[in-house]
């Protein structure tokens, strides 16, 4: 009985799904960013982050199995989140008239704290897995560590590699852009702005509603029918 064939088939399937997920992520980025160079920068962050994550996986003693590869597959979509935030802010700084170098520095600095906090909170979700015992811990611990390593790698790449590449390959503006306040904003942006203003105006009511919904969801989750 050769169980290696089944193992090869299972790991190969997960690897294929990981590759397809990366390709789909790049395709979606191209649709929304509408810039081949910006998409290329973010796309480069995916394999670099994966290689960095695999190094951390190796150093931690985790083998590449179905569970760890599944963790990488789950984290493939989150690998580009930080890079997209940094890339978008760099674009915004360029529209304000900054050079590529200044836009990369200022754009990354402005959102650095936000993406660090976001990544830490996502990783913190997996902390309770440490207290699980038995065979289940062996399975979920590997997946949790793999996702944590992936997110850590994506954060470091977003703060270093993405702005460095952006300062070199993005098109340099021939003249400083000016903010035109008379440009008509799309309807969805206008609607979104009104919703945000209304939420900030009645922030205490919003907070109370959120707390009530949270407590209600907790109560429903522990209630046994």
């Amino acid at each position: 009985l050769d169980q290696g064939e089944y193992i090869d088939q299972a790991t190969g399937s997960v690897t294929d799904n990981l590759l397809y997920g990366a390709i789909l992520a790049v395709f979606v980025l191209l649709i929304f960013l509408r810039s081949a160079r910006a998409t290329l920068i973010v796309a480069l962050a995916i394999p670099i982050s994966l290689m960095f994550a695999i190094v951390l996986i190796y150093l931690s003693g985790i083998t590449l199995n179905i569970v760890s590869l599944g963790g990488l597959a789950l984290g493939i979509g989150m690998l580009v989140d930080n890079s997209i935030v940094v890339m978008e802010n760099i674009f915004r700084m360029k529209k304000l008239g900054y050079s590529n170098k200044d836009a990369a520095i200022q754009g990354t600095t402005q959102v650095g704290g936000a993406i660090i906090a976001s990544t830490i909170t996502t990783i913190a979700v997996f902390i309770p897995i440490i207290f699980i015992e038995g065979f289940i811990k062996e399975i979920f611990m590997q997946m949790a560590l793999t996702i944590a390593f992936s997110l850590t790698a994506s954060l470091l790449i977003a703060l270093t590699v993405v702005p460095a590449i952006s300062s070199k390959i993005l098109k340099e503006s021939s003249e400083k852009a000016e903010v035109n306040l008379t440009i008509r904003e799309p309807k969805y942006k206008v609607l979104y702005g009104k919703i945000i203003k209304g939420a900030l105006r009645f922030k205490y009511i919003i907070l109370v509603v959120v707390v009530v919904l949270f407590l209600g969801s907790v109560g429903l989750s522990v209630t046994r029918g």
Side-chain angles (χ1 to χ4, degrees):
L1 176 62
D2 185 7
Q3 295 183 346
E5 296 180 359
Y6 170 76
I7 295 174
D8 288 338
Q9 181 181 1
T11 55
S13 176
V14 176
T15 305
D16 291 340
N17 290 334
L18 194 151
L19 178 61
Y20 296 151
I23 295 174
L24 289 174
V26 173
F27 180 71
V28 172
L29 286 175
L30 183 61
I31 294 176
F32 284 94
L33 293 180
R34 290 176 294 181
S35 172
R37 297 192 181 193
T39 303
L40 175 63
I41 295 172
V42 179
L44 288 175
I46 296 178
I48 297 175
S49 300
L50 282 177
M51 288 188 291
F52 192 89
I54 290 174
V55 171
L56 294 177
I57 290 172
Y58 172 78
L59 294 177
S60 64
I62 298 176
T63 59
L64 287 178
N65 49 52
I66 298 176
V67 177
S68 58
L69 287 174
L72 286 176
L74 290 174
I76 192 72
M78 295 183 286
L79 286 178
V80 296
D81 290 351
N82 294 329
S83 298
I84 291 174
V85 173
V86 172
M87 194 73 247
E88 182 67 23
N89 204 46
I90 291 175
F91 260 93
R92 187 181 71 85
M93 300 306 293
K94 281 181 61 63
K95 290 181 180 179
L96 295 178
Y98 286 85
S99 64
N100 283 355
K101 181 179 179 180
D102 293 336
I105 295 174
Q106 296 295 328
T108 306
T109 302
Q110 288 181 359
V111 299
I115 62 175
I116 290 174
S118 175
T119 303
I120 292 176
T121 54
T122 305
I123 295 176
V125 173
F126 300 102
I127 292 180
I129 297 179
I130 298 175
F131 303 101
I132 299 177
E133 297 181 355
F135 178 72
I136 300 299
K137 179 179 180 179
E138 298 298 326
I139 297 177
F140 286 100
M141 179 64 76
Q142 291 190 17
M143 180 173 292
L145 288 177
T146 303
I147 296 176
F149 292 154
S150 301
L151 293 176
T152 302
S154 70
L155 176 63
L156 295 177
I157 297 302
L159 294 177
T160 56
V161 177
V162 171
I165 299 178
S166 301
S167 65
K168 296 298 182 182
I169 72 172
L170 289 180
K171 290 184 178 179
E172 193 74 59
S173 301
S174 58
E175 57 183 5
K176 289 188 175 181
E178 295 181 358
V179 180
N180 186 4
L181 298 178
T182 62
I183 296 178
R184 186 176 180 182
E185 294 286 348
K187 293 183 178 180
Y188 71 90
K189 287 188 177 182
V190 175
L191 178 61
Y192 180 72
K194 291 180 179 180
I195 294 174
I196 294 299
K197 289 180 181 179
L200 293 176
R201 183 179 302 175
F202 304 101
K203 51 183 176 293
Y204 296 109
I205 298 178
I206 299 297
L207 289 174
V208 170
V209 172
V210 170
V211 171
V212 170
L213 291 176
F214 173 73
L215 295 177
S217 63
V218 172
L220 291 174
S221 63
V222 298
T223 301
R224 295 181 180 181

